[in-house]
Amino acid sequence: MPRGLLLLLLVLLIGGYFYFFGGGKAHEGLPSIEMRAVVNEGDNGYIVGAEGKLNLPEEKEYNVVGTVYISVEGVRVKEESVNTVVKGPSELPLNLAGVSVSGEDVRVGAEITVIVDGKEMNFTAESPVTFPPKSARLVLPSVAVSVSSVERVEGGYDATLKVEFYNPNDFDVSVKNAKVKVGANTYPLTVSSIPSNSTASAEALVPADSNTVKGTVEAEVVWGDVKKNLYVSFSVSFPEIPLPEPIYTLDYTVTSVTNSGVTISTTVDVNNPSSLPLTLDSITIRVRKADVVKEVQLATNVSVPPFGEKNFTQSISAIPFLVGGTVELWVKKEGTERKVLESPLELVSTSLVKPVELNVWVEDGNTTDVVHVILKNPNDYNVDVRNFSFVVTDTTGGSVATYSGNTSFEFRTSKELTLSYDKSVVIGGEVYIDVSFDYGISELDLWFPTRFYTDYRVS
């Protein structure tokens, strides 16, 4: 054989030998090796194991020796020997149980020698281990927000929010700058760490102007050198707590009556049964009849302390009505006015309108008698008279004389009315004088009935 051809064959044989035994692509019918890393999470890092197999394809007997290993930065931290005889065709497992590792250059590999038919074949397989980034292992805690207590305060509520953080990781995490944000306001949460697969909680007192609180829970979650921001929106509601209604009382007394109208003295009590201050824009008394209203403002910018009471008195004069009227109490709060009490305006006592004094005397004449009726007004204002009736009768009940003048009039001090009768028409020698009328104030529709009845023997 020519020398050049022999050298070429030697080169090809040597090249094929190293290619084959280096674990490259196996030739059909020859052994081959496969190795891969198995990575699991551990308490403080990762657990790395190895899985592989040696393919023995022919129906022969193979003598296999070698080592399966795990190395960190070039140092084998775990290895296991292989020494066995295998009948082909078959697959020989090359497995290694996991070990906790730390470091950057981690590899799994195998160095195997196969002897078959008196020939020795060497196999080496090594694979670097790629770990997922540590940040991928950190799962953010879940957050639950609830209301643990509520207190009614001025302008709304003080709600105590309970915030629970559940850590789903199998390692502890730290929590920094935990807070609740509602609108532009921030409320800190006292929580620093959460054990693995456990819950930590904290509370925050949050003012609210309604029975619903919306906001976010924010924090920085730390695991070693890994940091992640936590941001969770929430909305929680609680039953509304109505404030106790103020208790109002209204008393009034008619103090005087004149032609210009009625004067009343009013007293208003405002009782605050709440633990919060009561603020009212104004308190107003309105005395009303149909479309006619007499109004007086008792107070403005009223503040009643918690569980306190305030009293207001006011005299209201020149009320141009009485019968059929009402006295109303109105309060305004936060710009809205409402009527809280109403009471009818009752008839006044006769002591406020002094009775008209009546004086009757008979002027005896020869043939004619004159009956004089004198009305005197003890009040310092005009008194109205209506339905004035003045009759003289005899013992038979027959009319002797009847007044035919004005039956309605007014007078300031006194007024005299007369009625004459002829003595000759009187039967029985005696007459009866009957005077009746209503006095009062017509503008107020206020009237008091009066009647005077007496007898007189005719001479």
Side-chain angles (χ1 to χ4, degrees):
M1 177 180 294
R3 183 180 179 186
L5 180 59
L6 178 58
L7 291 174
L8 176 61
L9 288 173
L10 289 173
V11 170
L12 290 175
L13 286 172
I14 294 171
Y17 176 85
F18 283 105
Y19 177 76
F20 173 74
F21 290 106
K25 183 176 181 182
H27 293 276
E28 186 176 353
L30 297 178
S32 64
I33 189 170
E34 298 176 18
M35 291 297 297
R36 73 179 185 90
V38 179
V39 180
N40 291 297
E41 292 184 1
D43 292 338
N44 297 300
Y46 295 99
I47 297 175
V48 177
E51 285 185 356
K53 61 183 178 179
L54 180 65
N55 298 307
L56 304 169
E58 295 190 5
E59 198 171 324
K60 296 181 179 181
E61 186 175 90
Y62 299 88
N63 190 0
V64 181
V65 294
T67 303
V68 180
Y69 63 88
I70 301 170
S71 68
V72 177
E73 297 178 357
V75 178
R76 295 186 181 185
V77 296
K78 187 174 184 178
E79 61 182 0
E80 199 168 285
S81 297
V82 179
N83 190 347
T84 185
V85 176
V86 182
K87 182 72 174 179
S90 64
E91 294 179 349
L92 177 63
L94 302 175
N95 298 334
L96 187 58
V99 62
S100 179
V101 300
S102 60
E104 295 184 357
D105 184 12
V106 181
R107 296 173 181 270
V108 298
E111 294 177 345
I112 301 296
T113 299
V114 179
I115 303 172
V116 59
D117 295 336
K119 297 179 182 180
E120 184 177 295
M121 294 174 284
N122 295 318
F123 296 87
T124 300
E126 189 174 78
S127 176
V129 179
T130 302
F131 298 104
K134 192 174 181 181
S135 60
R137 294 189 57 206
L138 175 60
V139 179
L140 288 174
S142 60
V143 177
V145 181
S146 60
V147 180
S148 60
S149 65
V150 178
E151 183 180 354
R152 199 68 162 86
V153 297
E154 187 174 4
Y157 304 89
D158 275 347
T160 300
L161 302 185
K162 182 179 181 181
V163 183
E164 296 179 290
F165 300 87
Y166 174 72
N167 176 14
N169 301 286
D170 56 3
F171 47 83
D172 300 353
V173 297
S174 299
V175 179
K176 296 182 178 180
N177 301 320
K179 56 185 172 288
V180 171
K181 289 189 71 175
V182 177
N185 299 315
T186 299
Y187 308 94
L189 294 169
T190 306
V191 57
S192 58
S193 63
I194 314 173
S196 62
N197 303 119
S198 299
T199 299
S201 63
E203 291 187 340
L205 182 64
V206 176
D209 56 6
S210 72
N211 66 322
T212 297
V213 182
K214 296 181 179 180
T216 58
V217 176
E218 301 178 20
E220 184 181 53
V221 181
V222 181
W223 175 48
D225 57 353
V226 177
K227 298 179 181 179
K228 286 188 177 182
N229 291 325
L230 176 68
Y231 184 95
V232 177
S233 299
F234 71 88
S235 177
V236 291
S237 297
F238 48 86
E240 291 189 9
I241 304 175
L243 287 175
E245 283 291 326
I247 300 171
Y248 302 96
T249 59
L250 168 64
D251 292 320
Y252 73 88
T253 303
V254 180
T255 57
S256 66
V257 179
T258 68
N259 293 109
S260 62
V262 176
T263 298
I264 64 175
S265 175
T266 61
T267 300
V268 173
D269 295 334
V270 182
N271 184 285
N272 179 18
S274 171
S275 60
L276 304 179
L278 171 65
T279 301
L280 300 174
D281 300 341
S282 62
I283 302 176
T284 303
I285 294 288
R286 291 187 176 96
V287 188
R288 183 190 308 271
K289 183 177 182 180
D291 295 333
V292 181
V293 179
K294 182 71 175 182
E295 177 179 307
V296 172
Q297 196 170 74
L298 292 186
T300 59
N301 299 322
V302 178
S303 179
V304 184
F307 307 112
E309 180 178 303
K310 282 196 174 182
N311 312 100
F312 306 90
T313 58
Q314 180 70 51
S315 179
I316 305 174
S317 60
I319 301 170
F321 51 81
L322 186 61
V323 176
T326 57
V327 183
E328 302 170 353
L329 176 63
W330 291 73
V331 297
K332 181 185 287 188
K333 184 178 181 180
E334 297 176 354
T336 300
E337 189 178 43
R338 65 188 182 97
K339 180 170 62 176
V340 295
L341 286 176
E342 178 180 300
S343 179
L345 188 58
E346 298 175 351
L347 289 174
V348 298
S349 167
T350 55
S351 62
L352 297 177
V353 180
K354 296 177 182 178
V356 171
E357 298 172 3
L358 184 63
N359 185 14
V360 178
W361 64 280
V362 179
E363 179 184 351
D364 187 14
N366 293 327
T367 60
T368 301
D369 287 344
V370 179
V371 181
H372 296 262
V373 176
I374 300 174
L375 306 178
K376 290 186 178 181
N377 177 13
N379 300 287
D380 58 358
Y381 50 84
N382 291 340
V383 169
D384 295 306
V385 173
R386 70 176 183 180
N387 301 326
F388 184 82
S389 175
F390 184 4
V391 178
V392 177
T393 58
D394 58 22
T395 56
T396 67
S399 176
V400 175
T402 300
Y403 177 77
S404 59
N406 293 330
T407 59
S408 297
F409 51 85
E410 68 175 4
F411 66 102
R412 176 66 183 82
T413 54
S414 64
K415 187 175 181 66
E416 182 176 4
L417 303 104
T418 60
L419 181 61
S420 301
Y421 63 88
D422 186 353
K423 292 183 179 182
S424 63
V425 301
V426 175
I427 299 175
E430 193 173 21
V431 295
Y432 300 96
I433 302 169
D434 188 357
V435 179
S436 65
F437 57 89
D438 298 330
Y439 72 91
I441 302 173
S442 61
E443 292 90 341
L444 303 178
D445 197 23
L446 177 65
W447 300 102
F448 300 96
T450 297
R451 185 178 184 188
F452 177 84
Y453 186 82
T454 188
D455 58 350
Y456 176 74
R457 181 166 297 279
V458 178
S459 60

